[in-house]
Tab-separated table of all heavy atoms in Angstrom:
chain	number	residue	atom	x	y	z
B	277	LEU	N	26.397	-3.051	-99.030
B	277	LEU	CA	24.981	-3.302	-99.330
B	277	LEU	C	24.771	-3.690	-100.786
B	277	LEU	O	23.890	-4.484	-101.113
B	277	LEU	CB	24.137	-2.071	-98.999
B	277	LEU	CG	23.775	-1.859	-97.531
B	277	LEU	CD1	22.756	-0.741	-97.406
B	277	LEU	CD2	23.233	-3.130	-96.873
B	278	ARG	N	25.596	-3.131	-101.678
B	278	ARG	CA	25.495	-3.522	-103.088
B	278	ARG	C	25.823	-5.006	-103.255
B	278	ARG	O	25.209	-5.707	-104.055
B	278	ARG	CB	26.462	-2.700	-103.943
B	278	ARG	CG	26.002	-1.295	-104.218
B	278	ARG	CD	27.013	-0.558	-105.090
B	278	ARG	NE	26.659	0.838	-105.208
B	278	ARG	CZ	25.733	1.311	-106.043
B	278	ARG	NH1	25.089	0.479	-106.845
B	278	ARG	NH2	25.458	2.592	-106.088
B	279	SER	N	26.803	-5.467	-102.469
B	279	SER	CA	27.209	-6.870	-102.606
B	279	SER	C	26.280	-7.795	-101.821
B	279	SER	O	26.245	-8.994	-102.065
B	279	SER	CB	28.652	-7.048	-102.134
B	279	SER	OG	28.722	-6.820	-100.733
B	280	LYS	N	25.535	-7.250	-100.873
B	280	LYS	CA	24.644	-8.076	-100.062
B	280	LYS	C	23.262	-7.419	-99.943
B	280	LYS	O	22.860	-6.964	-98.862
B	280	LYS	CB	25.228	-8.247	-98.642
B	280	LYS	CG	26.512	-9.060	-98.591
B	280	LYS	CD	26.890	-9.313	-97.143
B	280	LYS	CE	27.952	-10.363	-96.950
B	280	LYS	NZ	28.986	-10.494	-97.971
B	281	PRO	N	22.533	-7.359	-101.065
B	281	PRO	CA	21.237	-6.655	-101.023
B	281	PRO	C	20.247	-7.273	-100.026
B	281	PRO	O	19.345	-6.576	-99.560
B	281	PRO	CB	20.724	-6.750	-102.465
B	281	PRO	CG	21.611	-7.711	-103.162
B	281	PRO	CD	22.890	-7.824	-102.403
B	282	ASN	N	20.465	-8.543	-99.693
B	282	ASN	CA	19.546	-9.141	-98.711
B	282	ASN	C	19.773	-8.591	-97.296
B	282	ASN	O	18.992	-8.872	-96.387
B	282	ASN	CB	19.659	-10.674	-98.718
B	282	ASN	CG	21.050	-11.135	-98.321
B	282	ASN	OD1	22.025	-10.402	-98.510
B	282	ASN	ND2	21.155	-12.326	-97.759
B	283	ARG	N	20.837	-7.791	-97.107
B	283	ARG	CA	21.065	-7.167	-95.805
B	283	ARG	C	20.439	-5.776	-95.698
B	283	ARG	O	20.547	-5.111	-94.679
B	283	ARG	CB	22.570	-7.075	-95.498
B	283	ARG	CG	23.307	-8.404	-95.506
B	283	ARG	CD	22.667	-9.423	-94.567
B	283	ARG	NE	22.641	-8.998	-93.166
B	283	ARG	CZ	23.576	-9.297	-92.275
B	283	ARG	NH1	24.604	-10.031	-92.610
B	283	ARG	NH2	23.468	-8.886	-91.025
B	284	ILE	N	19.794	-5.335	-96.770
B	284	ILE	CA	19.205	-3.989	-96.746
B	284	ILE	C	18.110	-3.884	-95.677
B	284	ILE	O	17.976	-2.858	-95.015
B	284	ILE	CB	18.695	-3.589	-98.153
B	284	ILE	CG1	19.895	-3.369	-99.087
B	284	ILE	CG2	17.823	-2.334	-98.094
B	284	ILE	CD1	19.538	-3.081	-100.538
B	285	VAL	N	17.353	-4.975	-95.476
B	285	VAL	CA	16.270	-4.937	-94.485
B	285	VAL	C	16.827	-4.648	-93.086
B	285	VAL	O	16.283	-3.809	-92.348
B	285	VAL	CB	15.484	-6.269	-94.493
B	285	VAL	CG1	14.532	-6.343	-93.312
B	285	VAL	CG2	14.700	-6.397	-95.796
B	286	VAL	N	17.922	-5.322	-92.734
B	286	VAL	CA	18.538	-5.101	-91.418
B	286	VAL	C	19.213	-3.729	-91.376
B	286	VAL	O	19.102	-2.985	-90.393
B	286	VAL	CB	19.547	-6.229	-91.099
B	286	VAL	CG1	20.389	-5.877	-89.880
B	286	VAL	CG2	18.804	-7.542	-90.873
B	287	ALA	N	19.884	-3.367	-92.475
B	287	ALA	CA	20.567	-2.071	-92.532
B	287	ALA	C	19.576	-0.916	-92.392
B	287	ALA	O	19.862	0.100	-91.756
B	287	ALA	CB	21.333	-1.946	-93.848
B	288	ALA	N	18.378	-1.096	-92.965
B	288	ALA	CA	17.372	-0.024	-92.895
B	288	ALA	C	16.978	0.244	-91.439
B	288	ALA	O	16.688	1.388	-91.076
B	288	ALA	CB	16.142	-0.398	-93.718
B	289	GLU	N	16.986	-0.790	-90.598
B	289	GLU	CA	16.676	-0.582	-89.183
B	289	GLU	C	17.760	0.263	-88.514
B	289	GLU	O	17.463	1.135	-87.703
B	289	GLU	CB	16.544	-1.926	-88.453
B	289	GLU	CG	15.357	-2.763	-88.914
B	289	GLU	CD	14.020	-2.050	-88.743
B	289	GLU	OE1	13.773	-1.455	-87.671
B	289	GLU	OE2	13.217	-2.080	-89.694
B	290	GLU	N	19.019	-0.012	-88.871
B	290	GLU	CA	20.108	0.783	-88.304
B	290	GLU	C	20.044	2.230	-88.795
B	290	GLU	O	20.310	3.174	-88.047
B	290	GLU	CB	21.453	0.144	-88.656
B	290	GLU	CG	22.680	0.930	-88.198
B	290	GLU	CD	22.866	0.987	-86.677
B	290	GLU	OE1	21.923	0.638	-85.936
B	290	GLU	OE2	23.963	1.394	-86.240
B	291	LEU	N	19.658	2.409	-90.055
B	291	LEU	CA	19.525	3.766	-90.580
B	291	LEU	C	18.342	4.479	-89.914
B	291	LEU	O	18.395	5.681	-89.661
B	291	LEU	CB	19.382	3.732	-92.104
B	291	LEU	CG	20.660	3.260	-92.834
B	291	LEU	CD1	20.363	2.919	-94.290
B	291	LEU	CD2	21.768	4.305	-92.742
B	292	LEU	N	17.280	3.735	-89.600
B	292	LEU	CA	16.157	4.322	-88.847
B	292	LEU	C	16.601	4.724	-87.444
B	292	LEU	O	16.177	5.735	-86.908
B	292	LEU	CB	14.993	3.327	-88.745
B	292	LEU	CG	14.090	3.230	-89.967
B	292	LEU	CD1	13.228	1.971	-89.906
B	292	LEU	CD2	13.194	4.462	-90.073
B	293	ARG	N	17.458	3.901	-86.845
B	293	ARG	CA	17.981	4.249	-85.518
B	293	ARG	C	18.852	5.508	-85.603
B	293	ARG	O	18.715	6.428	-84.798
B	293	ARG	CB	18.824	3.101	-84.944
B	293	ARG	CG	19.338	3.387	-83.520
B	293	ARG	CD	20.343	2.360	-83.040
B	293	ARG	NE	21.632	2.462	-83.697
B	293	ARG	CZ	22.597	3.331	-83.355
B	293	ARG	NH1	22.422	4.171	-82.363
B	293	ARG	NH2	23.750	3.366	-84.023
B	294	ALA	N	19.732	5.534	-86.596
B	294	ALA	CA	20.710	6.620	-86.673
B	294	ALA	C	20.104	7.942	-87.134
B	294	ALA	O	20.530	8.999	-86.698
B	294	ALA	CB	21.835	6.215	-87.619
B	295	TYR	N	19.098	7.869	-88.011
B	295	TYR	CA	18.560	9.095	-88.626
B	295	TYR	C	17.037	9.196	-88.519
B	295	TYR	O	16.352	9.375	-89.529
B	295	TYR	CB	18.967	9.155	-90.109
B	295	TYR	CG	20.446	9.050	-90.350
B	295	TYR	CD1	21.006	7.904	-90.925
B	295	TYR	CD2	21.297	10.095	-89.998
B	295	TYR	CE1	22.375	7.800	-91.156
B	295	TYR	CE2	22.665	10.003	-90.230
B	295	TYR	CZ	23.195	8.856	-90.800
B	295	TYR	OH	24.544	8.766	-91.030
B	296	PRO	N	16.498	9.093	-87.308
B	296	PRO	CA	15.037	9.231	-87.194
B	296	PRO	C	14.659	10.705	-87.340
B	296	PRO	O	15.529	11.578	-87.277
B	296	PRO	CB	14.755	8.726	-85.782
B	296	PRO	CG	15.982	9.087	-85.018
B	296	PRO	CD	17.134	8.954	-85.994
B	297	THR	N	13.384	10.993	-87.521
B	297	THR	CA	13.029	12.361	-87.900
B	297	THR	C	12.124	13.112	-86.916
B	297	THR	O	11.973	14.314	-87.051
B	297	THR	CB	12.327	12.362	-89.274
B	297	THR	OG1	11.277	11.415	-89.242
B	297	THR	CG2	13.289	12.013	-90.373
B	298	VAL	N	11.494	12.437	-85.961
B	298	VAL	CA	10.477	13.171	-85.185
B	298	VAL	C	10.759	13.186	-83.681
B	298	VAL	O	11.471	12.341	-83.156
B	298	VAL	CB	9.058	12.580	-85.408
B	298	VAL	CG1	8.667	12.706	-86.869
B	298	VAL	CG2	8.961	11.156	-84.925
B	299	GLN	N	10.179	14.196	-83.020
B	299	GLN	CA	10.153	14.180	-81.559
B	299	GLN	C	8.689	14.106	-81.128
B	299	GLN	O	7.827	14.776	-81.684
B	299	GLN	CB	10.835	15.411	-80.954
B	299	GLN	CG	10.062	16.720	-81.064
B	299	GLN	CD	10.536	17.787	-80.078
B	299	GLN	OE1	10.941	17.487	-78.971
B	299	GLN	NE2	10.461	19.040	-80.490
B	300	MET	N	8.436	13.262	-80.147
B	300	MET	CA	7.106	13.200	-79.554
B	300	MET	C	7.052	14.171	-78.383
B	300	MET	O	7.994	14.240	-77.601
B	300	MET	CB	6.822	11.793	-79.008
B	300	MET	CG	6.175	10.846	-79.975
B	300	MET	SD	7.279	10.351	-81.299
B	300	MET	CE	8.465	9.384	-80.394
B	301	ILE	N	5.936	14.888	-78.277
B	301	ILE	CA	5.757	15.744	-77.104
B	301	ILE	C	4.491	15.312	-76.374
B	301	ILE	O	3.461	15.051	-77.000
B	301	ILE	CB	5.703	17.229	-77.500
B	301	ILE	CG1	7.087	17.640	-78.011
B	301	ILE	CG2	5.291	18.093	-76.313
B	301	ILE	CD1	7.258	19.110	-78.247
B	302	ARG	N	4.612	15.171	-75.067
B	302	ARG	CA	3.468	14.808	-74.244
B	302	ARG	C	3.212	15.921	-73.237
B	302	ARG	O	4.112	16.717	-72.932
B	302	ARG	CB	3.751	13.491	-73.503
B	302	ARG	CG	3.947	12.286	-74.419
B	302	ARG	CD	2.651	11.931	-75.140
B	302	ARG	NE	2.779	10.726	-75.966
B	302	ARG	CZ	2.966	10.751	-77.280
B	302	ARG	NH1	3.077	11.913	-77.921
B	302	ARG	NH2	3.045	9.630	-77.973
B	303	VAL	N	1.992	15.961	-72.712
B	303	VAL	CA	1.617	16.953	-71.713
B	303	VAL	C	1.270	16.226	-70.422
B	303	VAL	O	0.459	15.284	-70.441
B	303	VAL	CB	0.389	17.769	-72.181
B	303	VAL	CG1	0.118	18.918	-71.214
B	303	VAL	CG2	0.591	18.288	-73.595
Side-chain angles (χ1 to χ4, degrees):
Chain B
L277 280 189
R278 283 181 188 280
S279 67
K280 293 187 167 33
N282 62 334
R283 302 305 300 267
I284 290 175
V285 170
V286 169
E289 294 301 314
E290 176 68 347
L291 292 166
L292 279 164
R293 183 189 72 82
Y295 305 109
T297 51
V298 298
Q299 73 161 326
M300 269 70 68
I301 292 189
R302 297 293 184 260
V303 187

